[in-house]
Amino acid sequence: MKTGRKIDLALEAKELAEGSVTKTTRLSGVKAQEDTVFGLPLTRVEILNRAGEEALGKPKGTYLTLTLPELPREREEILHTARSVAAMLESLPTLPKEGPVLVAGLGNRRVTPDAVGPRTTEFLLVTRHLVENLPQEFSALRPVSALAAGVTGSTGMESGELIGAVVKKLKPACLIAVDALAARRQERVCRTIQVSDTGIVPGSGVGNARMALDQKNLGIPVIAVGVPTVVDAATLCLDLLEEGGEKDFDPAPFRQEGAEWFVTPRNVDSEVETLSRVLGLGISTALHVDFSVEDVEKWLS
């Protein structure tokens, strides 16, 4: 699907290709349905075959998108949203019920809109060291490791190379990769959470695609968790101009090397902090099946 727009959310790719995410008969190889999880709107998009991949420009698999009416602020709101994230993860058959798991936070900690991945690792209940060093006390816990992979400019290594080496050493049953995404619609920035079982290509949303983190490259299931924190300026202009009846806008000036622009909320720092906490609590609750989100919060406090 070539549209001149940069879109990470499968929900938005389907909306653009079909006109409405609730209509499931107009695209071959694509199925969608709307539901709720703990009262929050959830959209499930399934890409079933090659035709679906070509229609949406995304790999075959399941994409779950949680919509937040507003950013959770109070403790109970944060815990409630984290429960929803845990339920999304638990619904994926690719998430193993037991065995070690590696959670990788992708992105640049120094660039706030790109810091969701690294910040999420700070709110995870990591347990591998406890299970290995004190097996009698912690043998009932699942071994969970966390890695903030950094960016090539800081480490000299591709995040895929670093994560691949850690996967080879630790041999986890699954990798969960957390990254910032790019949305098409302003209202979805920091208000949606996407979970998919297809892996992820770091940097693809901002035109800087790196090595894919997926089962083909790593040899284990890869679940991607993402939050859109930016809108591509050319994509935003295309949509706004089309809404005004103008269809001849040329996005090329925004695509020149060194001239790409992205729009992000003015309070993105506090929103990334809150959403990183939500993701960390949600992922931890999904991995430690005997723990409630309140239990995880207590362990981390």
Side-chain angles (χ1 to χ4, degrees):
M1 180 180 64
K2 296 181 179 180
T3 66
R5 296 167 170 84
K6 291 183 179 179
I7 300 173
D8 281 338
L9 297 175
L11 178 153
E12 292 187 328
K14 188 174 188 298
E15 286 179 342
L16 185 61
E18 191 173 75
S20 172
V21 76
T22 60
K23 297 177 181 178
T24 62
T25 59
R26 295 173 56 187
L27 288 180
S28 176
V30 178
K31 179 182 178 182
Q33 67 180 67
E34 295 186 354
D35 202 348
T36 60
V37 56
F38 291 107
L40 295 175
L42 177 72
T43 301
R44 181 185 186 95
V45 175
E46 295 179 71
I47 300 178
L48 306 174
N49 50 36
R50 182 70 175 176
E53 291 180 329
E54 292 178 354
L56 299 194
K58 296 187 176 298
K60 176 182 175 182
T62 300
Y63 299 80
L64 306 174
T65 305
L66 186 73
T67 300
L68 310 180
E70 57 185 21
L71 190 74
R73 300 290 185 185
E74 303 298 327
R75 172 180 174 271
E76 286 303 321
E77 295 173 343
I78 290 173
L79 297 184
H80 182 81
T81 309
R83 288 189 199 97
S84 301
V85 172
M88 293 166 68
L89 289 165
E90 291 166 357
S91 72
L92 294 177
T94 48
L95 180 67
K97 301 301 181 184
E98 56 186 20
V101 173
L102 172 64
V103 182
L106 308 176
N108 191 338
R109 191 188 301 272
R110 298 178 180 178
V111 179
T112 303
D114 197 32
V116 170
R119 292 292 290 130
T120 294
T121 63
E122 299 175 11
F123 298 105
L124 288 171
L125 178 54
V126 293
T127 54
R128 178 176 176 268
H129 60 304
L130 299 176
V131 175
E132 289 198 349
N133 296 324
L134 299 168
Q136 292 183 337
E137 290 84 355
F138 297 104
S139 59
L141 292 177
R142 169 181 239 168
V144 175
S145 308
L147 171 67
V151 292
T152 305
S154 299
T155 66
M157 296 176 285
E158 293 278 356
S159 57
E161 293 175 327
L162 182 57
I163 292 169
V166 175
V167 166
K168 186 176 181 180
K169 172 67 175 178
L170 300 187
K171 297 179 173 59
C174 175
L175 170 70
I176 297 178
V178 185
D179 200 7
L181 306 177
R184 174 191 177 195
R185 299 292 190 187
Q186 303 174 71
E187 60 268 23
R188 289 198 172 111
V189 173
C190 294
R191 295 297 182 275
T192 47
I193 298 171
Q194 177 173 273
V195 173
S196 71
D197 60 4
T198 61
I200 194 168
V201 180
S204 59
V206 293
N208 188 31
R210 321 303 286 186
M211 169 185 163
L213 301 175
D214 54 23
Q215 186 154 10
K216 179 181 178 180
N217 283 328
L218 297 178
I220 59 173
V222 179
I223 294 172
V225 179
V227 172
T229 58
V230 298
V231 177
D232 171 50
T235 299
L236 181 60
C237 288
L238 279 169
D239 285 340
L240 292 176
L241 287 170
E242 280 192 2
E243 289 176 8
E246 175 61 59
K247 299 184 181 298
D248 296 325
F249 171 72
D250 181 9
F254 290 89
R255 302 290 187 227
Q256 298 176 18
E257 186 175 355
E260 292 184 319
W261 291 78
F262 294 90
V263 181
T264 194
R266 63 181 180 180
N267 56 340
V268 68
D269 50 352
S270 64
E271 302 209 349
V272 163
E273 179 75 8
T274 298
L275 290 167
S276 298
R277 182 181 296 275
V278 166
L279 295 184
L281 290 171
I283 293 170
S284 298
T285 303
L287 295 180
H288 301 286
V289 294
D290 294 328
F291 283 19
S292 67
V293 67
E294 289 85 1
D295 293 332
V296 172
E297 183 190 40
K298 288 178 182 177
W299 272 70
L300 293 174
S301 62

